[in-house]
Amino acid sequence: MERQQPLSGAGISTDSGIPDYRGPNGVWRQDPGAERLVTYGPYMADPEIRRRSWRMRLDGQALSAGPNVAHRAIAAYERTSGNPLRVITQNVDGLHQDAGVTARKVLELHGSARSVVCTSCHARSSMAEALDRVRAGDDDPACRTCGGILKSATVMFGQRLDPVVLGRAMSIAKATEVFVVVGSSLQVQPAASLAGIAVEHGARLVIVNAEPTPYDSVADEVVREPIGTALPALLDRLR
Ligand SMILES: [Zn+2]
């Protein structure tokens, strides 16, 4: 049985300077023009959308952001508590792994912005290399293997989540003793339903989030303090 298992959302990365893109009040949802850049249908159909999408990633700061005290607290918990840990995250920034959490213990529900994937042959390569090509003037870089359309290895709007990743996340939610939600509004599926599954299977639910969530009423503990101070203290208590 998993002893303890955080689900992290955008809120854990805002202290690293990465805005909430995907949430109900996120950057993309507030700007239909920007949302099209990360929506699968328009992206695949329109080279101009792809050029703008690559340019947005080049101008963005997600790749240069570093982990913050909350990411490091989770990594320290894994390293020193002796308790099994899995991190299920809605974030695509790779900061849990950068902080030192074992990569295979991080389930990225929405994929990773650190990689790109070919939509034809499914070959993966690095985002940094793709952005180097964009910077050098290749404004819609094609797959080097097959010439297919490349995209960020994230789950775009209009795409299904990876069923394998989702299945693993549900298994973890069913088996965990403590399910800690960090910086997620629990308004985007499947993150919200994972909290419900954990509770149905007897987990203690702890929510650390600045704003109310739909699951506060079934949580054993709700913490409204800033994540950077609340999470390290909470993880110390859970040891
Ligand atoms: Zn390809």
Side-chain angles (χ1 to χ4, degrees):
M1 173 167 277
E2 304 297 339
R3 172 74 177 79
Q4 197 272 341
Q5 186 272 114
L7 171 98
S8 72
I12 197 170
S13 289
T14 48
D15 285 347
S16 291
I18 298 178
D20 175 8
Y21 287 106
R22 198 182 175 101
N25 300 309
V27 174
W28 287 331
R29 291 298 192 190
Q30 298 298 310
D31 179 352
E35 186 174 338
R36 283 173 65 78
L37 306 185
V38 290
T39 302
Y40 189 73
Y43 184 90
M44 293 301 290
D46 185 348
E48 180 56 26
I49 294 273
R50 293 199 292 279
R51 284 193 281 272
R52 288 173 51 204
S53 184
W54 287 114
R55 176 57 53 182
M56 174 190 72
R57 291 183 190 281
L58 195 60
D59 295 343
Q61 47 192 311
L63 281 179
S64 58
N68 61 52
V69 63
H71 297 103
R72 287 195 292 272
I74 295 173
Y77 181 91
E78 183 199 8
R79 206 165 51 241
T80 62
S81 73
N83 295 324
L85 172 96
R86 294 289 184 277
V87 177
I88 302 172
T89 186
Q90 297 171 276
N91 300 335
V92 297
D93 52 40
L95 293 183
H96 287 295
Q97 297 92 319
D98 281 358
V101 177
T102 306
R104 65 181 168 78
K105 296 187 176 177
V106 181
L107 273 78
E108 296 174 308
L109 292 172
H110 295 151
S112 172
R114 299 287 180 85
S115 299
V116 298
V117 63
C118 173
T119 55
S120 296
C121 74
H122 307 294
R124 286 175 79 99
S125 50
S126 100
M127 174 63 80
E129 187 212 322
L131 291 182
D132 282 345
R133 293 169 65 188
V134 177
R135 200 176 286 112
D138 186 356
D139 57 5
D140 180 19
C143 174
R144 288 196 192 279
T145 306
C146 78
I149 294 172
L150 288 185
K151 67 179 280 298
S152 163
T154 52
V155 178
M156 286 184 164
F157 294 120
Q159 281 193 294
R160 285 179 184 280
L161 271 63
D162 181 335
V164 175
V165 175
L166 184 56
R168 286 182 61 202
M170 290 174 76
S171 299
I172 291 167
K174 287 175 185 170
T176 192
E177 287 179 19
V178 184
F179 194 89
V180 182
V181 174
V182 185
S184 172
S185 59
L186 294 178
Q187 291 180 40
V188 175
Q189 293 296 356
S193 55
L194 289 171
I197 289 168
V199 169
E200 281 166 26
H201 287 78
R204 267 179 65 79
L205 177 63
V206 182
I207 297 175
V208 184
N209 197 54
E211 305 295 330
T213 83
Y215 286 84
D216 288 1
S217 61
V218 295
D220 295 274
E221 189 176 348
V222 177
V223 181
R224 293 260 180 268
E225 289 147 47
I227 292 169
T229 49
L231 189 65
L234 174 69
L235 292 176
D236 272 345
R237 261 197 297 130
L238 289 172
R239 279 166 193 275

